[in-house]
Amino acid sequence: MSDLPVDYAVLNRVRHNLDHIAHLMKKPGQEMEHVSGDSMGVPELAKRMDDFGDEWSYGIKQLTKFSDKASEALLKVKESFEKLDHELAEANKHQGKGNGGAK
């Protein structure tokens, strides 16, 4: 059996960064949804601007969604390791008491 170290500080920092990315990306995505190509004046340019806005908005939404899901997954990993740490500590504590000092 090998030891598997888990750095909870790193997990928390990565989760915070992913949450921050998701938060930062929401505003540009919402703004691009409201960009209208009509302000460009030239019909072909207006159409391309509308297409770009739609694609940009979709991409930002996907990045936000993936960041949120990655953050949730890291939280589950952290919680699972914390639970395992607790269970192992309890098992070791009970094993020591149940032994009764017998050799």
Side-chain angles (χ1 to χ4, degrees):
M1 188 162 124
S2 65
D3 291 330
L4 178 63
V6 177
D7 190 335
Y8 294 116
V10 171
L11 282 174
N12 287 331
R13 188 171 59 245
V14 172
R15 281 194 65 240
H16 171 76
N17 290 343
L18 288 169
D19 290 341
H20 187 65
I21 288 169
H23 176 74
L24 285 175
M25 300 306 278
K26 285 180 184 175
K27 187 176 181 190
Q30 291 168 346
E31 289 175 357
M32 285 306 292
E33 280 183 347
H34 302 295
V35 170
S36 171
D38 292 338
S39 62
M40 299 292 153
V42 179
E44 184 60 29
L45 183 57
K47 181 183 178 326
R48 288 187 182 195
M49 187 61 191
D50 285 339
D51 291 343
F52 172 77
D54 292 342
E55 290 174 18
W56 175 272
S57 177
Y58 174 78
I60 296 297
K61 284 179 183 176
Q62 293 302 305
L63 285 172
T64 301
K65 181 174 80 173
F66 296 144
S67 295
D68 285 338
K69 288 190 182 279
S71 177
E72 291 171 15
L74 284 177
L75 178 59
K76 288 180 183 179
V77 166
K78 179 185 169 215
E79 290 171 344
S80 295
F81 274 109
E82 287 173 334
K83 181 180 177 200
L84 182 60
D85 280 345
H86 177 73
E87 290 171 357
L88 288 173
E90 288 295 313
N92 285 337
K93 187 174 17 172
H94 293 301
Q95 183 180 7
K97 287 181 181 178
N99 216 359
K103 294 182 183 180

